[in-house]
Amino acid sequence: MEQKQLTEQTQKDPLWIRYKIYLEAEDISQSRIHSSVAFLKNRLEHSRNGYLNSAVFEDESDLDAFVLRFYVENEVQEESCLSPEHAESFIIDLAEILDDTAAAHSFMELEGEFSFRYRKEDKTYTFRSESGWDYCDFREREEDR
């Protein structure tokens, strides 16, 4: 009975998630453009976290000019959180994908931000990985409230 009440309470919690990711690089081979885009798309589409699977992709890369420009966006709003397990692991899951992307494709710039509101958490992070870095630097941003 206690578990049922806990589950009912958890499912009443509203959830709001928004993230934007930008990949950019110039003077790189077409194969690197394709592999960078495929890597990030694959990691998001096949993530165990359902809030990462529904991202919208926009590929503005110019293969003839050897320019990578790839954008990812998503916003999720649920009046009652449908997947508490995924909500609770969202920040860690996204950070892991971003860090893996930076490490695997250190020749490109990776930047963006993500926001998360769930239960008592209300966080916004910016992130950046410059060309030559094999990691992603995350910073918590204070919102004007």
Side-chain angles (χ1 to χ4, degrees):
M1 184 66 151
E2 196 173 301
Q3 179 64 26
K4 183 179 178 183
Q5 288 175 339
L6 182 61
T7 301
E8 288 174 1
Q9 177 59 41
T10 300
Q11 291 178 344
K12 291 179 185 177
D13 292 327
L15 171 72
W16 178 73
I17 293 172
R18 181 182 66 208
Y19 54 93
K20 296 179 181 188
I21 305 168
Y22 310 103
L23 304 180
E24 294 186 8
E26 294 182 2
D27 296 324
I28 62 169
S29 70
Q30 293 176 351
S31 63
R32 279 191 166 187
I33 292 171
H34 286 299
S35 68
S36 300
V37 169
F39 182 88
L40 184 56
K41 280 180 77 171
N42 186 47
R43 289 296 310 271
L44 290 169
E45 289 176 340
H46 296 96
S47 170
R48 68 180 182 269
N49 191 309
Y51 296 117
L52 295 171
N53 302 139
S54 58
V56 176
F57 305 108
E58 186 174 339
D59 189 352
E60 294 183 4
S61 300
D62 185 341
L63 297 175
D64 295 328
F66 305 103
V67 174
L68 165 66
R69 284 199 180 86
F70 185 67
Y71 307 99
V72 179
E73 289 188 39
N74 198 14
E75 185 168 354
V76 176
Q77 287 184 296
E78 297 176 349
E79 289 181 26
S80 180
C81 181
L82 298 175
S83 180
E85 179 182 326
H86 290 173
E88 290 169 7
S89 68
F90 171 78
I91 292 174
I92 296 297
D93 292 342
L94 181 57
E96 181 180 287
I97 289 171
L98 295 171
D99 212 38
D100 288 350
T101 301
H105 302 281
S106 61
F107 56 85
M108 69 181 180
E109 292 186 14
L110 166 69
E111 63 181 77
E113 71 176 26
F114 58 94
S115 300
F116 175 82
R117 258 187 254 143
Y118 180 62
R119 294 186 180 152
K120 295 180 182 181
E121 297 282 333
D122 189 353
K123 306 264 184 187
T124 296
Y125 294 90
T126 59
F127 57 88
R128 180 168 188 79
S129 177
E130 294 187 21
S131 180
W133 292 7
D134 64 352
Y135 64 93
C136 198
D137 184 36
F138 297 89
R139 308 248 178 201
E140 185 174 351
R141 192 175 83 196
E142 289 298 318
E143 292 287 310
D144 295 324
R145 297 193 176 117

